[in-house]
Amino acid sequence: MGVTDSPAARLQALFEGHRLTPTQRRIAHSMVRRAADVPFLSSVELAELAGVSQPSVTRFAVALGFDGYPDLRRHLREVAPAEPVPQTGAGNEYQQAVEAEIENLRHLAEVLADPRPVRRAGRLLAASRPLLVLGLRAAAAQAQGFAYFAAKVHPDVRLLGEGGSMVQDRIDGAVRAGASALLCFALPRHPREVVDALDHAKEAGLTVVTVADSAFAPVAKVSDLLLPAAVGTGLAFDTACAPMLLGRVLLEAMCDDLPDAQARLEEFDAHAAARGLFVD
């Protein structure tokens, strides 16, 4: 099944072109995460799932052009699988958080059934000299991990870990040095300074590739190519297994467009062995 045939993809297509409020984007994001179940949920159940009021769900349906939520649900049932995906709901809160992350990874696998967006991103990142990698606050670890591995195969990777005027200065400097692309990891809660930095990057002429928790994230409007990977919300702090894995997939796609990537890795391994860098 291609990504364009998946329930999540059909939902995203339904939302495209609509100016949604933050609350409505939250509802849309929740629906995409539970795409196979949504046609079988009442407006009250969907409101509980998204953490909003029931009238907000009704207004959301109207904003999409339907008479109300029952009309929207009828439409979804016409294009949804015949049966909802069973939810185990078993185990304690920690097990449930793990199960939710497993579901996020399954959804990511479904999205990657169409590899063209990731391959396009890989080409853009491989061609940029230098390559900028941005990640602030909750996304800092994702950006740092990507930059660490990317530096082993890419000749010039520059990690941007601070916002404000400093990041704008570094973006300008990279553009003068020849940069053509910036990779951003953007996770909730989304800092305003990330949106400002991406806006500045686009004004400077960079192509912005963003890994975000949702296609409806605030960074979507300042991204040229957005790749969604959901975060887990079942614990006190969000979990980001899917964004991390998507980052590794992007690394693989970038390596495919770097002819000397394998030679660089072998050179690093030889130097590491000579220096006794790792304990096996």
Side-chain angles (χ1 to χ4, degrees):
M1 179 186 293
V3 67
T4 54
D5 297 325
S6 71
R10 288 194 291 267
L11 276 174
Q12 289 183 348
L14 177 65
F15 303 145
E16 288 176 358
H18 295 279
R19 295 181 62 87
L20 302 178
T21 67
T23 296
Q24 290 167 351
R25 288 198 300 268
R26 185 172 183 176
I27 297 170
H29 177 48
S30 298
M31 292 176 70
V32 169
R33 289 184 62 196
R34 294 280 296 275
D37 299 315
V38 164
F40 306 92
L41 300 179
S42 68
S43 60
V44 173
E45 289 171 329
L46 178 56
E48 291 178 352
L49 177 66
V52 301
S53 67
Q54 189 275 337
S56 294
V57 172
T58 300
R59 289 192 291 270
F60 170 73
V62 172
L64 295 178
F66 296 93
D67 293 335
Y69 181 72
D71 189 26
L72 170 59
R73 189 169 62 174
R74 279 193 296 272
H75 172 78
L76 296 178
R77 286 181 173 179
E78 291 175 359
V79 296
E83 297 293 337
V85 176
Q87 302 294 317
T88 63
N92 58 44
E93 60 183 306
Y94 311 125
Q95 292 175 298
Q96 290 172 15
V98 172
E99 291 291 341
E101 280 290 56
I102 292 172
E103 186 59 33
N104 286 341
L105 293 173
R106 287 197 183 100
H107 180 247
L108 177 60
E110 185 179 72
V111 170
L112 292 175
D114 180 0
R116 289 173 297 180
V118 168
R119 287 175 178 165
R120 179 190 169 202
R123 289 193 296 271
L124 290 168
L125 303 182
S128 186
R129 302 286 194 286
L131 170 61
L132 293 173
V133 182
L134 171 67
L136 304 181
R137 296 185 183 266
Q142 309 300 325
Q144 185 175 11
F146 181 95
Y148 171 78
F149 289 111
K152 297 184 183 302
V153 294
H154 192 287
D156 191 353
V157 179
R158 303 186 185 184
L159 177 64
L160 304 177
E162 72 282 325
S165 61
M166 285 296 296
V167 74
Q168 294 181 1
D169 290 346
R170 294 190 63 192
I171 288 172
D172 292 341
V175 170
R176 287 193 296 271
S180 59
L182 179 150
L183 172 63
C184 174
F185 288 87
L187 301 178
R189 299 175 64 185
H190 295 278
R192 182 180 302 277
E193 54 194 342
V194 170
V195 177
D196 292 342
L198 296 188
D199 190 46
H200 183 81
K202 287 179 63 67
E203 289 179 357
L206 293 177
T207 299
V208 174
V209 178
T210 302
V211 173
D213 59 300
S214 166
F216 312 102
V219 293
K221 61 184 179 181
V222 286
S223 301
D224 296 292
L225 176 58
L226 188 141
L227 304 171
V231 301
T233 58
L235 302 176
F237 298 100
D238 290 346
T239 50
C241 294
M244 181 193 71
L245 181 54
L246 181 52
R248 298 299 189 267
V249 170
L250 277 174
L251 279 168
E252 185 75 11
M254 186 179 73
C255 286
D256 290 340
D257 277 273
L258 290 170
D260 56 348
Q262 186 60 39
R264 285 178 176 271
L265 286 174
E266 291 175 359
E267 181 182 9
F268 172 80
D269 285 343
H271 289 168
R275 296 162 56 195
L277 192 58
F278 301 110
V279 178
D280 295 327

